[in-house]
Structures are given as C-alpha cells and as structure tokens.
C-alpha cells in the first residue's frame, strides 16, 4: 500500500470526527525535506482551528502507527478555493464549476484554458471554452483546478 493510501485510511475517520472531509493526502519532497500534508474541507470553509484540531488529533496516531520511515514535516491545510481536481469523484462533484485546465503542450498556441467543467470520462476532461465544447485527453492534461473569480 502506498504511503498516501495508508495515511488516508488513518486520517479519514479523524478528519470526519472533526466535522471536515479529507480532500487529499500528499507526501512530497520540497527543498530537500519531505512533507506530509492533509488537505481538508468543510461546508462554509476550513479555518485555522480546524487545521490545528485535526493536526493535534493525528499526531499521536502517526507516532503510534509510524507509517513513514525517516523524518518529515506534517501539515494540515485547507484544500483551498482553487484546489486541484484529481479523482473521478472530484470531477463529478464540480460539474458546471469554473476550472482552469493546464496542458503539457500548447494546443493552437494556448496552454491554459479558463473554462467550465462539462464532463469527465476515464481521464478525459470536457469543458466549455469560448462558446465551444472541447475535450482534452488524459495525456494532454497536466492539471485541472477550480478557478475562483472575484468579479
């Protein structure tokens, strides 16, 4: 089992116990250090107290279970307004939402598409962009994230 899957199974009930949902688990190396991050969400938005409470509840579990060899920094953070969409359930939950699709390589000179999410099928992403419906294959898409407009 991957580290992130193991952490997800440990964190899910703790996060839910605190009235939040677990959006994502990330274990990444940045600047020579390893980081374990839990991204949480809840109706009305996550505040600093939510992050602190989940972090304090997870600390003894991580110490007891010791799911990661070596040292790392542990963080609990908000999933944020412009969170990346990764799993099919993420896409399903945000059909009709404003998104930004970033491609690995430009298509017709454009690499970033601010659009509206219209569909998701096995990695292929369908959006409405400039009055047109476009479908990008999984191999074209580097990132899809929600887009917050404050106009």
């Amino acid at each position: 089992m991957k580290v992130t899957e193991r952490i997800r199974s440990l964190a899910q009930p703790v996060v839910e116990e605190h009235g939040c949902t677990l959006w994502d688990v990330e274990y990444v190396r940045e600047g020579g250090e390893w980081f374990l991050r839990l991204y949480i969400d809840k109706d009305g938005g996550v505040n600093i107290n939510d992050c602190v409470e989940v972090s304090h509840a997870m600390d003894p579990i991580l110490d007891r279970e010791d799911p990661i060899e070596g040292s790392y920094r542990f963080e609990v953070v908000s999933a944020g307004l412009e969170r990346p969409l990764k799993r099919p359930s993420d896409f399903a939950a945000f059909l009709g939402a404003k998104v930004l699709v970033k491609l690995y390589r430009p298509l017709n000179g454009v690499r970033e598409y601010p659009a509206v999410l219209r569909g998701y099928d096995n990695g292929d992403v369908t959006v409405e962009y400039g009055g047109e419906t476009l479908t990008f294959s999984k191999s074209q898409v580097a990132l899809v994230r929600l887009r917050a407009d404050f106009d």
Side-chain angles (χ1 to χ4, degrees):
M1 180 182 289
K2 288 174 44 176
V3 167
T4 53
E5 292 170 1
R6 174 81 174 116
I7 300 299
R8 180 178 289 281
S9 69
L10 294 171
Q12 188 86 40
V14 173
V15 171
E16 289 174 0
E17 188 176 290
H18 287 85
C20 299
T21 55
L22 183 60
W23 182 259
D24 200 10
V25 177
E26 181 179 70
Y27 183 58
V28 294
R29 188 172 179 92
E30 294 176 357
E33 290 186 87
W34 284 96
F35 288 84
L36 172 62
R37 288 190 188 101
L38 300 183
Y39 291 88
I40 62 173
D41 194 21
K42 76 173 184 183
D43 288 341
V46 170
N47 62 43
I48 190 70
N49 292 331
D50 297 317
C51 295
V52 168
E53 288 174 12
V54 170
S55 178
H56 287 175
M58 282 299 299
D59 280 336
I61 295 169
L62 292 172
D63 287 345
R64 182 183 69 241
E65 298 293 326
D66 200 19
I68 299 173
E69 280 189 33
S71 62
Y72 58 91
R73 291 184 184 261
F74 176 57
E75 299 176 342
V76 178
V77 297
S78 167
L81 288 176
E82 294 190 332
R83 69 192 68 185
L85 304 180
K86 298 179 179 180
R87 296 171 300 279
S89 60
D90 299 347
F91 287 91
F94 288 99
L95 284 176
K98 293 178 180 180
V99 295
L100 180 68
V101 178
K102 293 185 179 185
L103 304 179
Y104 289 113
R105 288 180 207 83
L107 178 65
N108 300 323
V110 180
R111 189 173 181 163
E112 294 187 359
Y113 289 81
V116 175
L117 181 62
R118 294 296 181 211
Y120 180 83
D121 183 29
N122 202 28
D124 294 348
V125 178
T126 301
V127 297
E128 185 179 317
Y129 172 77
E132 292 183 60
T133 299
L134 304 173
T135 299
F136 302 105
S137 70
K138 184 177 183 177
S139 64
Q140 291 176 291
V141 177
L143 172 74
V144 179
R145 67 168 173 77
L146 294 179
R147 183 171 49 96
D149 284 339
F150 299 102
D151 309 343

